[in-house]
Amino acid sequence: MATANSSNILSSTFYLTGIPGYEEFHHWISIPFCLLYLVGIMGNCTILHIVRTDPRLHEPMYYFLAMLSLTDMGMSLPTMISLFRVLWSISREIQFNTCVVQMFFIHTFSFTESSVLLAMALDRYVAICHPLRYATILTPTLITKIGIAALLRSALPVIPLLARLAFFPFCHSHILSHSHCLHQDVIRLACADTKFNVIYGLVLITLLWGMDSLGIFVSYVFILHSVLKISSQEGRFKALNTCASHICAVLILYVPMIGLSIVHRFAKHSSPLIHVFMAHIYLLVPPVLNPIIYSVKTKQIRQGILHLVFPQESVLL
């Protein structure tokens, strides 16, 4: 019976939701989403190409930036196909297995992005507080280990959470609230005791995001302490300016993340549009804005883009 029940669940079909109340405008709504995905993909691919091909950017700060671009795409791309299948009226259906895989990528890369931002905060701490030892501390080997550790730290704890879904019967409505699968949305449809998943999910978020945000905060306390010791105002401004892009990236991830969590936990009966709006902001804003911010605020990235677009003029300059 358990095997039959599990087999039945694994073959379950869920139904995705587009923009509630605006179904007749889905084709038009898909246009700005297409533009956002295009900007995000092109921006992050450009960052990755520039960091890989420009020897001047083979430094810890830019390696971490490349990691951020990879995690941005890893978090947003799994939702792209299901979103456009709904908006273009191709199909609203998504199989249980596909839903679990999509959840795995979304939640894993969401946690990974937070870990990468912590690594970038430590990078700024070493660069400002220990500039003479910067290259010897953050070696390519250590950076590789940090990247692998961030991915494993994010992926492994998610597996037990999603594995338990295979044993839940879904006898309620199979209609999801979004155009993609989220764990907190799927367990809402289960007609079983989901207490473990709810508590485990909250503990996981508190530990991973909480530890990362605390680490980022502590790093900036030490950075600010070192900056205030700089005698010249110009020196203090220059040191803090190197952190501006990272601070923006932290806010871009954590503000929508906190907003989405609050909506799911405390505003369950609010308008479905609010849930959909917050979910899309959370998944689309970081991949779109991070490359733009780093391109505007980082001179080396800006020069790399100019060299990529105007190679002859860049050589002359």
mmCIF file of all heavy atoms in Angstrom, residues 74-120:
data_model
loop_
_atom_site.group_PDB
_atom_site.id
_atom_site.type_symbol
_atom_site.label_atom_id
_atom_site.label_comp_id
_atom_site.label_asym_id
_atom_site.label_seq_id
_atom_site.Cartn_x
_atom_site.Cartn_y
_atom_site.Cartn_z
ATOM 1 N N GLY A 74 20.835 30.492 -11.618
ATOM 2 C CA GLY A 74 20.343 29.232 -11.081
ATOM 3 C C GLY A 74 19.030 29.382 -10.334
ATOM 4 O O GLY A 74 18.215 28.447 -10.282
ATOM 5 N N MET A 75 18.794 30.559 -9.756
ATOM 6 C CA MET A 75 17.569 30.803 -9.001
ATOM 7 C C MET A 75 16.396 31.184 -9.906
ATOM 8 O O MET A 75 15.248 30.845 -9.631
ATOM 9 C CB MET A 75 17.806 31.912 -7.967
ATOM 10 C CG MET A 75 16.701 32.052 -6.945
ATOM 11 S SD MET A 75 17.144 33.104 -5.550
ATOM 12 C CE MET A 75 17.287 34.709 -6.314
ATOM 13 N N SER A 76 16.683 31.879 -11.017
ATOM 14 C CA SER A 76 15.599 32.397 -11.855
ATOM 15 C C SER A 76 15.269 31.527 -13.063
ATOM 16 O O SER A 76 14.107 31.405 -13.451
ATOM 17 C CB SER A 76 15.942 33.813 -12.332
ATOM 18 O OG SER A 76 17.099 33.796 -13.150
ATOM 19 N N LEU A 77 16.269 30.900 -13.679
ATOM 20 C CA LEU A 77 16.028 30.133 -14.905
ATOM 21 C C LEU A 77 15.070 28.953 -14.724
ATOM 22 O O LEU A 77 14.280 28.672 -15.633
ATOM 23 C CB LEU A 77 17.357 29.653 -15.504
ATOM 24 C CG LEU A 77 18.217 30.735 -16.168
ATOM 25 C CD1 LEU A 77 19.496 30.129 -16.731
ATOM 26 C CD2 LEU A 77 17.443 31.456 -17.265
ATOM 27 N N PRO A 78 15.102 28.203 -13.593
ATOM 28 C CA PRO A 78 14.158 27.085 -13.454
ATOM 29 C C PRO A 78 12.692 27.497 -13.518
ATOM 30 O O PRO A 78 11.828 26.664 -13.783
ATOM 31 C CB PRO A 78 14.498 26.519 -12.061
ATOM 32 C CG PRO A 78 15.911 26.883 -11.839
ATOM 33 C CD PRO A 78 16.065 28.237 -12.476
ATOM 34 N N THR A 79 12.400 28.780 -13.263
ATOM 35 C CA THR A 79 11.005 29.235 -13.287
ATOM 36 C C THR A 79 10.580 29.730 -14.665
ATOM 37 O O THR A 79 9.388 29.906 -14.913
ATOM 38 C CB THR A 79 10.805 30.386 -12.288
ATOM 39 O OG1 THR A 79 11.557 31.535 -12.725
ATOM 40 C CG2 THR A 79 11.283 29.986 -10.900
ATOM 41 N N MET A 80 11.545 29.963 -15.551
ATOM 42 C CA MET A 80 11.250 30.629 -16.824
ATOM 43 C C MET A 80 10.307 29.803 -17.704
ATOM 44 O O MET A 80 9.299 30.318 -18.215
ATOM 45 C CB MET A 80 12.550 30.926 -17.574
ATOM 46 C CG MET A 80 12.342 31.700 -18.873
ATOM 47 S SD MET A 80 13.912 32.197 -19.629
ATOM 48 C CE MET A 80 14.581 30.586 -20.074
ATOM 49 N N ILE A 81 10.614 28.506 -17.889
ATOM 50 C CA ILE A 81 9.826 27.672 -18.794
ATOM 51 C C ILE A 81 8.392 27.535 -18.295
ATOM 52 O O ILE A 81 7.429 27.711 -19.067
ATOM 53 C CB ILE A 81 10.478 26.283 -18.953
ATOM 54 C CG1 ILE A 81 11.842 26.413 -19.634
ATOM 55 C CG2 ILE A 81 9.574 25.352 -19.762
ATOM 56 C CD1 ILE A 81 12.606 25.110 -19.724
ATOM 57 N N SER A 82 8.235 27.248 -16.993
ATOM 58 C CA SER A 82 6.874 27.073 -16.461
ATOM 59 C C SER A 82 6.086 28.381 -16.525
ATOM 60 O O SER A 82 4.879 28.373 -16.799
ATOM 61 C CB SER A 82 6.918 26.542 -15.028
ATOM 62 O OG SER A 82 7.594 27.438 -14.172
ATOM 63 N N LEU A 83 6.752 29.516 -16.297
ATOM 64 C CA LEU A 83 6.070 30.813 -16.356
ATOM 65 C C LEU A 83 5.518 31.076 -17.751
ATOM 66 O O LEU A 83 4.338 31.420 -17.913
ATOM 67 C CB LEU A 83 7.034 31.937 -15.953
ATOM 68 C CG LEU A 83 6.522 33.369 -16.178
ATOM 69 C CD1 LEU A 83 5.317 33.654 -15.301
ATOM 70 C CD2 LEU A 83 7.619 34.383 -15.919
ATOM 71 N N PHE A 84 6.345 30.894 -18.773
ATOM 72 C CA PHE A 84 5.895 31.190 -20.140
ATOM 73 C C PHE A 84 4.926 30.145 -20.667
ATOM 74 O O PHE A 84 4.092 30.445 -21.520
ATOM 75 C CB PHE A 84 7.097 31.358 -21.066
ATOM 76 C CG PHE A 84 7.873 32.621 -20.793
ATOM 77 C CD1 PHE A 84 9.221 32.574 -20.477
ATOM 78 C CD2 PHE A 84 7.236 33.844 -20.815
ATOM 79 C CE1 PHE A 84 9.921 33.735 -20.199
ATOM 80 C CE2 PHE A 84 7.933 35.020 -20.539
ATOM 81 C CZ PHE A 84 9.275 34.965 -20.230
ATOM 82 N N ARG A 85 5.000 28.903 -20.165
ATOM 83 C CA ARG A 85 3.987 27.906 -20.524
ATOM 84 C C ARG A 85 2.607 28.339 -20.030
ATOM 85 O O ARG A 85 1.597 28.100 -20.705
ATOM 86 C CB ARG A 85 4.349 26.543 -19.918
ATOM 87 C CG ARG A 85 5.392 25.780 -20.725
ATOM 88 C CD ARG A 85 5.870 24.553 -19.954
ATOM 89 N NE ARG A 85 4.798 23.620 -19.676
ATOM 90 C CZ ARG A 85 4.385 22.658 -20.499
ATOM 91 N NH1 ARG A 85 4.966 22.534 -21.682
ATOM 92 N NH2 ARG A 85 3.417 21.846 -20.154
ATOM 93 N N VAL A 86 2.567 28.984 -18.878
ATOM 94 C CA VAL A 86 1.295 29.470 -18.339
ATOM 95 C C VAL A 86 0.845 30.730 -19.074
ATOM 96 O O VAL A 86 -0.300 30.831 -19.526
ATOM 97 C CB VAL A 86 1.416 29.751 -16.825
ATOM 98 C CG1 VAL A 86 0.152 30.435 -16.307
ATOM 99 C CG2 VAL A 86 1.672 28.470 -16.060
ATOM 100 N N LEU A 87 1.751 31.705 -19.222
ATOM 101 C CA LEU A 87 1.378 32.986 -19.833
ATOM 102 C C LEU A 87 1.023 32.845 -21.309
ATOM 103 O O LEU A 87 0.191 33.597 -21.828
ATOM 104 C CB LEU A 87 2.518 34.002 -19.672
ATOM 105 C CG LEU A 87 2.829 34.457 -18.241
ATOM 106 C CD1 LEU A 87 3.946 35.491 -18.237
ATOM 107 C CD2 LEU A 87 1.599 35.022 -17.549
ATOM 108 N N TRP A 88 1.649 31.890 -21.991
ATOM 109 C CA TRP A 88 1.347 31.674 -23.418
ATOM 110 C C TRP A 88 0.265 30.614 -23.635
ATOM 111 O O TRP A 88 0.060 30.147 -24.751
ATOM 112 C CB TRP A 88 2.623 31.290 -24.168
ATOM 113 C CG TRP A 88 3.624 32.397 -24.238
ATOM 114 C CD1 TRP A 88 3.401 33.726 -24.050
ATOM 115 C CD2 TRP A 88 5.030 32.277 -24.502
ATOM 116 N NE1 TRP A 88 4.563 34.447 -24.169
ATOM 117 C CE2 TRP A 88 5.584 33.577 -24.456
ATOM 118 C CE3 TRP A 88 5.877 31.199 -24.770
ATOM 119 C CZ2 TRP A 88 6.938 33.830 -24.677
ATOM 120 C CZ3 TRP A 88 7.223 31.440 -24.988
ATOM 121 C CH2 TRP A 88 7.744 32.746 -24.938
ATOM 122 N N SER A 89 -0.403 30.225 -22.557
ATOM 123 C CA SER A 89 -1.522 29.277 -22.611
ATOM 124 C C SER A 89 -1.141 27.938 -23.239
ATOM 125 O O SER A 89 -1.954 27.297 -23.912
ATOM 126 C CB SER A 89 -2.702 29.892 -23.390
ATOM 127 O OG SER A 89 -3.095 31.113 -22.817
ATOM 128 N N ILE A 90 0.108 27.516 -23.049
ATOM 129 C CA ILE A 90 0.548 26.214 -23.564
ATOM 130 C C ILE A 90 0.052 25.109 -22.640
ATOM 131 O O ILE A 90 -0.579 24.151 -23.079
ATOM 132 C CB ILE A 90 2.092 26.169 -23.700
ATOM 133 C CG1 ILE A 90 2.562 27.216 -24.713
ATOM 134 C CG2 ILE A 90 2.556 24.769 -24.112
ATOM 135 C CD1 ILE A 90 4.062 27.381 -24.775
ATOM 136 N N SER A 91 0.355 25.248 -21.348
ATOM 137 C CA SER A 91 -0.115 24.272 -20.367
ATOM 138 C C SER A 91 0.104 24.819 -18.968
ATOM 139 O O SER A 91 1.117 25.463 -18.694
ATOM 140 C CB SER A 91 0.635 22.945 -20.526
ATOM 141 O OG SER A 91 0.246 22.035 -19.504
ATOM 142 N N ARG A 92 -0.870 24.554 -18.091
ATOM 143 C CA ARG A 92 -0.742 24.928 -16.684
ATOM 144 C C ARG A 92 -0.279 23.755 -15.840
ATOM 145 O O ARG A 92 -0.008 23.911 -14.654
ATOM 146 C CB ARG A 92 -2.077 25.442 -16.145
ATOM 147 C CG ARG A 92 -2.526 26.792 -16.689
ATOM 148 C CD ARG A 92 -3.876 27.160 -16.125
ATOM 149 N NE ARG A 92 -3.851 27.124 -14.667
ATOM 150 C CZ ARG A 92 -4.907 26.779 -13.913
ATOM 151 N NH1 ARG A 92 -6.036 26.403 -14.486
ATOM 152 N NH2 ARG A 92 -4.818 26.789 -12.606
ATOM 153 N N GLU A 93 -0.189 22.578 -16.434
ATOM 154 C CA GLU A 93 0.129 21.373 -15.683
ATOM 155 C C GLU A 93 1.629 21.246 -15.416
ATOM 156 O O GLU A 93 2.445 21.623 -16.244
ATOM 157 C CB GLU A 93 -0.343 20.128 -16.450
ATOM 158 C CG GLU A 93 -1.848 20.050 -16.623
ATOM 159 C CD GLU A 93 -2.261 18.772 -17.340
ATOM 160 O OE1 GLU A 93 -1.367 17.966 -17.694
ATOM 161 O OE2 GLU A 93 -3.474 18.581 -17.535
ATOM 162 N N ILE A 94 1.947 20.716 -14.243
ATOM 163 C CA ILE A 94 3.333 20.377 -13.918
ATOM 164 C C ILE A 94 3.311 19.093 -13.091
ATOM 165 O O ILE A 94 2.545 18.977 -12.128
ATOM 166 C CB ILE A 94 4.050 21.524 -13.161
ATOM 167 C CG1 ILE A 94 5.531 21.180 -12.947
ATOM 168 C CG2 ILE A 94 3.359 21.870 -11.857
ATOM 169 C CD1 ILE A 94 6.368 22.366 -12.464
ATOM 170 N N GLN A 95 4.104 18.122 -13.490
ATOM 171 C CA GLN A 95 4.150 16.842 -12.798
ATOM 172 C C GLN A 95 4.877 16.986 -11.456
ATOM 173 O O GLN A 95 5.709 17.864 -11.278
ATOM 174 C CB GLN A 95 4.840 15.789 -13.661
ATOM 175 C CG GLN A 95 4.106 15.470 -14.954
ATOM 176 C CD GLN A 95 2.701 14.951 -14.712
ATOM 177 O OE1 GLN A 95 2.486 14.095 -13.854
ATOM 178 N NE2 GLN A 95 1.733 15.478 -15.455
ATOM 179 N N PHE A 96 4.552 16.093 -10.527
ATOM 180 C CA PHE A 96 5.139 16.146 -9.186
ATOM 181 C C PHE A 96 6.663 16.114 -9.238
ATOM 182 O O PHE A 96 7.333 16.906 -8.564
ATOM 183 C CB PHE A 96 4.610 14.978 -8.342
ATOM 184 C CG PHE A 96 5.208 14.921 -6.969
ATOM 185 C CD1 PHE A 96 4.705 15.701 -5.942
ATOM 186 C CD2 PHE A 96 6.297 14.089 -6.695
ATOM 187 C CE1 PHE A 96 5.253 15.652 -4.669
ATOM 188 C CE2 PHE A 96 6.856 14.044 -5.428
ATOM 189 C CZ PHE A 96 6.329 14.823 -4.415
ATOM 190 N N ASN A 97 7.229 15.195 -10.026
ATOM 191 C CA ASN A 97 8.693 15.081 -10.109
ATOM 192 C C ASN A 97 9.324 16.373 -10.594
ATOM 193 O O ASN A 97 10.329 16.836 -10.053
ATOM 194 C CB ASN A 97 9.085 13.936 -11.049
ATOM 195 C CG ASN A 97 8.806 12.571 -10.440
ATOM 196 O OD1 ASN A 97 8.672 12.454 -9.222
ATOM 197 N ND2 ASN A 97 8.699 11.551 -11.267
ATOM 198 N N THR A 98 8.730 16.961 -11.637
ATOM 199 C CA THR A 98 9.241 18.225 -12.181
ATOM 200 C C THR A 98 9.126 19.337 -11.153
ATOM 201 O O THR A 98 10.023 20.176 -11.010
ATOM 202 C CB THR A 98 8.457 18.613 -13.451
ATOM 203 O OG1 THR A 98 8.471 17.513 -14.362
ATOM 204 C CG2 THR A 98 9.060 19.839 -14.122
ATOM 205 N N CYS A 99 8.025 19.316 -10.412
ATOM 206 C CA CYS A 99 7.788 20.325 -9.373
ATOM 207 C C CYS A 99 8.860 20.242 -8.285
ATOM 208 O O CYS A 99 9.391 21.265 -7.842
ATOM 209 C CB CYS A 99 6.401 20.107 -8.774
ATOM 210 S SG CYS A 99 5.836 21.420 -7.691
ATOM 211 N N VAL A 100 9.200 19.023 -7.870
ATOM 212 C CA VAL A 100 10.218 18.827 -6.828
ATOM 213 C C VAL A 100 11.584 19.305 -7.316
ATOM 214 O O VAL A 100 12.322 19.969 -6.568
ATOM 215 C CB VAL A 100 10.284 17.343 -6.398
ATOM 216 C CG1 VAL A 100 11.499 17.086 -5.519
ATOM 217 C CG2 VAL A 100 9.014 16.950 -5.653
ATOM 218 N N VAL A 101 11.925 18.964 -8.560
ATOM 219 C CA VAL A 101 13.211 19.411 -9.127
ATOM 220 C C VAL A 101 13.265 20.935 -9.178
ATOM 221 O O VAL A 101 14.275 21.555 -8.827
ATOM 222 C CB VAL A 101 13.423 18.817 -10.540
ATOM 223 C CG1 VAL A 101 14.636 19.447 -11.205
ATOM 224 C CG2 VAL A 101 13.608 17.307 -10.453
ATOM 225 N N GLN A 102 12.163 21.561 -9.593
ATOM 226 C CA GLN A 102 12.114 23.020 -9.654
ATOM 227 C C GLN A 102 12.277 23.631 -8.271
ATOM 228 O O GLN A 102 13.039 24.595 -8.085
ATOM 229 C CB GLN A 102 10.790 23.472 -10.274
ATOM 230 C CG GLN A 102 10.746 24.957 -10.606
ATOM 231 C CD GLN A 102 9.430 25.363 -11.230
ATOM 232 O OE1 GLN A 102 8.371 25.205 -10.640
ATOM 233 N NE2 GLN A 102 9.499 25.897 -12.443
ATOM 234 N N MET A 103 11.604 23.066 -7.279
ATOM 235 C CA MET A 103 11.746 23.546 -5.900
ATOM 236 C C MET A 103 13.181 23.411 -5.413
ATOM 237 O O MET A 103 13.706 24.302 -4.738
ATOM 238 C CB MET A 103 10.811 22.774 -4.968
ATOM 239 C CG MET A 103 9.375 23.198 -5.022
ATOM 240 S SD MET A 103 8.393 22.416 -3.718
ATOM 241 C CE MET A 103 8.236 20.754 -4.360
ATOM 242 N N PHE A 104 13.801 22.279 -5.750
ATOM 243 C CA PHE A 104 15.176 22.045 -5.312
ATOM 244 C C PHE A 104 16.096 23.143 -5.823
ATOM 245 O O PHE A 104 16.893 23.705 -5.065
ATOM 246 C CB PHE A 104 15.660 20.677 -5.799
ATOM 247 C CG PHE A 104 17.107 20.400 -5.484
ATOM 248 C CD1 PHE A 104 17.495 20.025 -4.204
ATOM 249 C CD2 PHE A 104 18.085 20.543 -6.455
ATOM 250 C CE1 PHE A 104 18.836 19.790 -3.898
ATOM 251 C CE2 PHE A 104 19.424 20.300 -6.163
ATOM 252 C CZ PHE A 104 19.796 19.924 -4.884
ATOM 253 N N PHE A 105 15.996 23.472 -7.114
ATOM 254 C CA PHE A 105 16.868 24.498 -7.685
ATOM 255 C C PHE A 105 16.565 25.879 -7.116
ATOM 256 O O PHE A 105 17.492 26.636 -6.783
ATOM 257 C CB PHE A 105 16.745 24.520 -9.215
ATOM 258 C CG PHE A 105 17.526 23.438 -9.896
ATOM 259 C CD1 PHE A 105 16.898 22.377 -10.521
ATOM 260 C CD2 PHE A 105 18.917 23.470 -9.905
ATOM 261 C CE1 PHE A 105 17.629 21.370 -11.138
ATOM 262 C CE2 PHE A 105 19.653 22.477 -10.523
ATOM 263 C CZ PHE A 105 19.002 21.421 -11.139
ATOM 264 N N ILE A 106 15.289 26.214 -6.989
ATOM 265 C CA ILE A 106 14.923 27.543 -6.473
ATOM 266 C C ILE A 106 15.430 27.729 -5.053
ATOM 267 O O ILE A 106 16.100 28.729 -4.734
ATOM 268 C CB ILE A 106 13.394 27.746 -6.525
ATOM 269 C CG1 ILE A 106 12.916 27.849 -7.972
ATOM 270 C CG2 ILE A 106 12.993 29.013 -5.754
ATOM 271 C CD1 ILE A 106 11.399 27.877 -8.106
ATOM 272 N N HIS A 107 15.142 26.781 -4.162
ATOM 273 C CA HIS A 107 15.516 26.935 -2.756
ATOM 274 C C HIS A 107 17.027 26.773 -2.557
ATOM 275 O O HIS A 107 17.627 27.492 -1.753
ATOM 276 C CB HIS A 107 14.746 25.931 -1.899
ATOM 277 C CG HIS A 107 13.270 26.175 -1.871
ATOM 278 N ND1 HIS A 107 12.723 27.372 -1.457
ATOM 279 C CD2 HIS A 107 12.214 25.388 -2.226
ATOM 280 C CE1 HIS A 107 11.407 27.309 -1.540
ATOM 281 N NE2 HIS A 107 11.077 26.121 -2.011
ATOM 282 N N THR A 108 17.646 25.845 -3.298
ATOM 283 C CA THR A 108 19.094 25.657 -3.162
ATOM 284 C C THR A 108 19.846 26.906 -3.577
ATOM 285 O O THR A 108 20.728 27.398 -2.846
ATOM 286 C CB THR A 108 19.572 24.457 -4.018
ATOM 287 O OG1 THR A 108 19.019 23.262 -3.483
ATOM 288 C CG2 THR A 108 21.092 24.359 -3.993
ATOM 289 N N PHE A 109 19.520 27.456 -4.746
ATOM 290 C CA PHE A 109 20.260 28.631 -5.218
ATOM 291 C C PHE A 109 19.887 29.890 -4.450
ATOM 292 O O PHE A 109 20.683 30.834 -4.384
ATOM 293 C CB PHE A 109 20.048 28.825 -6.722
ATOM 294 C CG PHE A 109 20.889 27.891 -7.553
ATOM 295 C CD1 PHE A 109 20.330 26.811 -8.203
ATOM 296 C CD2 PHE A 109 22.257 28.084 -7.654
ATOM 297 C CE1 PHE A 109 21.106 25.935 -8.946
ATOM 298 C CE2 PHE A 109 23.050 27.220 -8.394
ATOM 299 C CZ PHE A 109 22.473 26.139 -9.040
ATOM 300 N N SER A 110 18.707 29.901 -3.849
ATOM 301 C CA SER A 110 18.349 31.022 -2.976
ATOM 302 C C SER A 110 19.250 31.043 -1.745
ATOM 303 O O SER A 110 19.793 32.093 -1.367
ATOM 304 C CB SER A 110 16.886 30.897 -2.559
ATOM 305 O OG SER A 110 16.560 31.862 -1.595
ATOM 306 N N PHE A 111 19.440 29.872 -1.113
ATOM 307 C CA PHE A 111 20.354 29.776 0.027
ATOM 308 C C PHE A 111 21.803 30.016 -0.407
ATOM 309 O O PHE A 111 22.582 30.643 0.318
ATOM 310 C CB PHE A 111 20.232 28.404 0.685
ATOM 311 C CG PHE A 111 18.958 28.183 1.442
ATOM 312 C CD1 PHE A 111 18.229 27.009 1.288
ATOM 313 C CD2 PHE A 111 18.467 29.148 2.305
ATOM 314 C CE1 PHE A 111 17.048 26.806 1.987
ATOM 315 C CE2 PHE A 111 17.288 28.958 3.006
ATOM 316 C CZ PHE A 111 16.575 27.776 2.844
ATOM 317 N N THR A 112 22.161 29.503 -1.601
ATOM 318 C CA THR A 112 23.536 29.677 -2.091
ATOM 319 C C THR A 112 23.847 31.148 -2.317
ATOM 320 O O THR A 112 24.950 31.612 -1.996
ATOM 321 C CB THR A 112 23.748 28.900 -3.409
ATOM 322 O OG1 THR A 112 23.412 27.526 -3.211
ATOM 323 C CG2 THR A 112 25.197 28.989 -3.870
ATOM 324 N N GLU A 113 22.889 31.892 -2.861
ATOM 325 C CA GLU A 113 23.122 33.322 -3.097
ATOM 326 C C GLU A 113 23.392 34.048 -1.787
ATOM 327 O O GLU A 113 24.265 34.925 -1.720
ATOM 328 C CB GLU A 113 21.916 33.948 -3.808
ATOM 329 C CG GLU A 113 22.079 35.422 -4.048
ATOM 330 C CD GLU A 113 21.452 35.885 -5.347
ATOM 331 O OE1 GLU A 113 21.016 35.059 -6.139
ATOM 332 O OE2 GLU A 113 21.416 37.109 -5.562
ATOM 333 N N SER A 114 22.665 33.682 -0.749
ATOM 334 C CA SER A 114 22.904 34.283 0.556
ATOM 335 C C SER A 114 24.310 33.963 1.048
ATOM 336 O O SER A 114 25.006 34.830 1.594
ATOM 337 C CB SER A 114 21.856 33.765 1.553
ATOM 338 O OG SER A 114 22.067 34.292 2.837
ATOM 339 N N SER A 115 24.753 32.712 0.834
ATOM 340 C CA SER A 115 26.108 32.309 1.243
ATOM 341 C C SER A 115 27.176 33.051 0.455
ATOM 342 O O SER A 115 28.215 33.443 0.997
ATOM 343 C CB SER A 115 26.284 30.795 1.054
ATOM 344 O OG SER A 115 25.361 30.077 1.827
ATOM 345 N N VAL A 116 26.923 33.242 -0.845
ATOM 346 C CA VAL A 116 27.881 33.973 -1.688
ATOM 347 C C VAL A 116 27.987 35.428 -1.230
ATOM 348 O O VAL A 116 29.083 36.013 -1.202
ATOM 349 C CB VAL A 116 27.476 33.896 -3.172
ATOM 350 C CG1 VAL A 116 28.321 34.835 -4.026
ATOM 351 C CG2 VAL A 116 27.622 32.461 -3.693
ATOM 352 N N LEU A 117 26.871 36.026 -0.849
ATOM 353 C CA LEU A 117 26.904 37.399 -0.349
ATOM 354 C C LEU A 117 27.703 37.492 0.951
ATOM 355 O O LEU A 117 28.384 38.492 1.192
ATOM 356 C CB LEU A 117 25.483 37.926 -0.139
ATOM 357 C CG LEU A 117 24.694 38.219 -1.423
ATOM 358 C CD1 LEU A 117 23.256 38.568 -1.099
ATOM 359 C CD2 LEU A 117 25.348 39.347 -2.226
ATOM 360 N N LEU A 118 27.622 36.454 1.778
ATOM 361 C CA LEU A 118 28.451 36.405 2.991
ATOM 362 C C LEU A 118 29.932 36.331 2.611
ATOM 363 O O LEU A 118 30.762 37.045 3.199
ATOM 364 C CB LEU A 118 28.069 35.203 3.850
ATOM 365 C CG LEU A 118 28.980 34.901 5.048
ATOM 366 C CD1 LEU A 118 29.022 36.086 6.016
ATOM 367 C CD2 LEU A 118 28.528 33.629 5.765
ATOM 368 N N ALA A 119 30.263 35.485 1.624
ATOM 369 C CA ALA A 119 31.646 35.373 1.162
ATOM 370 C C ALA A 119 32.147 36.701 0.604
ATOM 371 O O ALA A 119 33.301 37.087 0.823
ATOM 372 C CB ALA A 119 31.759 34.279 0.105
ATOM 373 N N MET A 120 31.278 37.419 -0.098
ATOM 374 C CA MET A 120 31.657 38.725 -0.653
ATOM 375 C C MET A 120 31.876 39.752 0.456
ATOM 376 O O MET A 120 32.731 40.642 0.340
ATOM 377 C CB MET A 120 30.589 39.208 -1.639
ATOM 378 C CG MET A 120 30.453 38.319 -2.868
ATOM 379 S SD MET A 120 29.102 38.797 -3.965
ATOM 380 C CE MET A 120 29.882 40.129 -4.888
#
